[in-house]
Amino acid sequence: MEPNSHRYEFDRLMELYSADLEQLRALALAEREARYGRAIFFNRNFHIEPSNVCIHRCKFCSYRRDSEDQPGAWSMNLEQIRKYCLKKYGKGITEVHIVGSVHPKRDLDYYISIISMVKGLLPKEVAIKAYSAVEIDDMCISSGLGSEQVLTRLKEAGLDALPGGGAEIFDNSVRMQICPDKTSAERYLEIHRTAHGLGIPTNCTMLFGHIENREHRIAHMLRLRELQDNTGGFNAFIPLKYSCANNSLSEIGEVSQEEILRTIAISRLALDNIPHIKAYWPMLGKKTGILAMEYGADDMDGTIENSTKIYSMAGSEEQNPTLTVEELKELASARGFHIKERDSFYRIIS
Ligand code: V47
């Protein structure tokens, strides 16, 4: 990876955030092209969301339910997960992304058994990217073990990587308003640091476009950059735009496409040490996802196979998210890009 030609600090990033859009686009695109030219990375993947019953009450979440008997709640047992996995698995899939909720009654052994079962069921080369730092934190609390022990046990069962969920916004005053009872920013970063120390690569995220401001976003990115300077374990940063349907912040509405593109561009400039900026298309929509490639992003995530509900329940335009390789190729070539299939570790699949 070619590093940015120089490191941007807070004040300069704030200036650039409101710079002329064309100037900002050109800067971020130059950084992206220096690394990857006109390539767009993607993988073939599907998600398993074992449950949406959750003890946390994050105000932005449209997906969670209080208990099993509420309308729209689900919880899968191991056998149901096995059947679901066989239904979604198809030739060429290289990653299973498992993330759900902090269920009040599930324990570490249950989460380990999911990993072992999926690992045994699918070809060995299929990577398992599973459990956000918030879920890992809950496993630590319920088992009484530290994060190093929990992650080691999950790794032994077949865990290959952690997804980036749960970061939201690190600023404590914002966090206290949108997700007061959730894993703290410090704990999120500590769990990722521990994972990196164990050789488990991770992604990181930021939920933007709700009550936070641009200062909070840049401060958030700079904390991730600081950790990455120490560990080098993040593969990708995923700026997640808040989607407003069916949750208790709905009256806020959603940020404009321009603000999304500016945020993606700033993340490419700020995070000089994180290799990939992911434009997660189930949340952005396919067209904005491709457009984001002109603003510094280089990765679209995957084919998904209609297997995630987090964003459709929050009102995303992608109600049954599936992206075929042919469709991605067409969208990319219409803008002068070409696609490159990768695995979970960004090794190219020819
Ligand atoms: O942490 C929840 C977000 C995240 C809403 O690592 C919402 O490859 C917008 O982290 N509007 C979970 N966002 C998803 C996630 C993720 C997704 C794709 C790829 C990867 C990866 C990670 O979803 C949560 C939260 O920030 N979220 N509700 C909402 N209404």
Side-chain angles (χ1 to χ4, degrees), residues 32-65:
R32 173 252 202 263
E33 287 193 340
R35 289 173 163 81
Y36 311 114
R38 301 288 291 178
I40 295 178
F41 297 97
F42 78 101
N43 70 355
R44 294 180 208 239
N45 65 348
F46 69 90
H47 288 225
I48 302 174
E49 294 173 342
S51 178
N52 65 343
V53 175
C54 190
I55 60 170
H56 294 305
R57 292 168 179 271
C58 305
K59 296 206 172 114
F60 52 80
C61 186
S62 319
Y63 162 91
R64 72 167 299 279
R65 295 291 182 270

Side-chain angles (χ1 to χ4, degrees), residues 60-62 97 129 163-166 168 203 205 207 238 240-243 247 278 280 301 310-311 314:
F60 52 80
C61 186
S62 319
H97 178 141
K129 184 178 76 182
E168 320 317 354
N203 289 336
T205 58
L207 181 69
I238 310 149
L240 295 164
K241 178 211 67 165
Y242 164 68
S243 302
N247 60 61
K278 189 186 280 191
Y280 185 57
D301 198 83
I310 300 181
Y311 288 97

Side-chain angles (χ1 to χ4, degrees), residues 74-341:
W74 71 86
S75 283
M76 294 193 244
N77 62 30
L78 213 54
E79 179 54 16
Q80 288 166 322
I81 295 174
R82 194 185 71 82
K83 286 198 179 127
Y84 180 83
C85 205
L86 289 174
K87 193 169 107 195
K88 291 292 173 189
Y89 177 73
K91 197 166 171 295
I93 295 277
T94 59
E95 178 182 272
V96 183
H97 178 141
I98 309 175
V99 75
S101 59
V102 177
H103 192 283
K105 295 199 185 104
R106 301 294 196 194
D107 62 9
L108 176 60
D109 289 337
Y110 166 76
Y111 293 110
I112 289 176
S113 63
I114 297 178
I115 304 282
S116 318
M117 184 273 290
V118 174
K119 204 68 180 183
L121 191 64
L122 302 183
K124 286 286 161 284
E125 56 278 11
V126 177
I128 302 184
K129 184 178 76 182
Y131 308 138
S132 69
V134 176
E135 290 162 284
I136 301 290
D137 190 29
D138 172 65
M139 293 175 212
C140 295
I141 294 166
S142 68
S143 66
L145 300 174
S147 58
E148 187 164 344
Q149 287 165 295
V150 165
L151 287 165
T152 301
R153 288 194 58 193
L154 290 164
K155 190 180 179 192
E156 282 164 5
L159 178 86
D160 295 292
L162 293 191
E168 320 317 354
I169 282 283
F170 292 147
D171 179 272
N172 202 43
S173 62
V174 173
R175 212 172 174 84
M176 282 302 131
Q177 291 177 68
I178 61 168
C179 52
D181 59 358
K182 192 169 186 158
T183 304
S184 68
E186 291 68 32
R187 182 72 174 144
Y188 175 95
L189 292 165
E190 186 187 322
I191 288 170
H192 282 266
R193 180 192 293 277
T194 307
H196 299 170
L198 293 168
I200 302 170
T202 74
N203 289 336
C204 50
T205 58
M206 174 181 78
L207 181 69
F208 72 99
H210 42 91
I211 62 164
E212 90 300 349
N213 59 34
R214 289 176 173 178
E215 278 95 341
H216 296 129
R217 295 178 203 159
I218 293 177
H220 182 102
M221 292 177 204
L222 296 186
R223 286 182 80 173
L224 293 169
R225 183 169 84 181
E226 192 186 347
L227 177 56
Q228 180 76 339
D229 274 343
N230 287 309
T231 66
F234 287 127
N235 276 336
F237 174 69
I238 310 149
L240 295 164
K241 178 211 67 165
Y242 164 68
S243 302
C244 74
N246 310 317
N247 60 61
S248 45
L249 295 179
S250 288
E251 75 282 0
I252 290 176
E254 294 182 17
V255 289
S256 65
Q257 186 186 61
E258 180 176 329
E259 191 64 12
I260 296 170
L261 297 172
R262 284 183 181 275
T263 304
I264 286 173
I266 288 296
S267 67
R268 179 62 290 167
L269 297 176
L271 297 170
D272 54 2
N273 55 2
I274 298 190
H276 298 281
I277 303 294
K278 189 186 280 191
Y280 185 57
W281 67 266
M283 170 266 295
L284 292 175
K286 290 171 189 167
K287 291 215 175 85
T288 307
I290 290 287
L291 188 56
M293 301 294 141
E294 301 277 3
Y295 288 78
D298 59 273
D299 189 273
M300 283 285 281
D301 198 83
T303 52
I304 306 281
E305 321 292 339
N306 190 18
S307 58
T308 176
K309 292 208 176 74
I310 300 181
Y311 288 97
S312 50
M313 288 169 82
S316 156
E317 66 183 74
E318 305 290 349
Q319 282 296 300
N320 297 294
T322 297
L323 178 63
T324 65
V325 177
E326 276 317 306
E327 193 183 0
L328 178 58
K329 201 186 254 175
E330 271 171 34
L331 287 167
S333 69
R335 289 198 163 267
F337 289 102
H338 57 275
I339 59 173
K340 266 196 185 170
E341 185 174 352

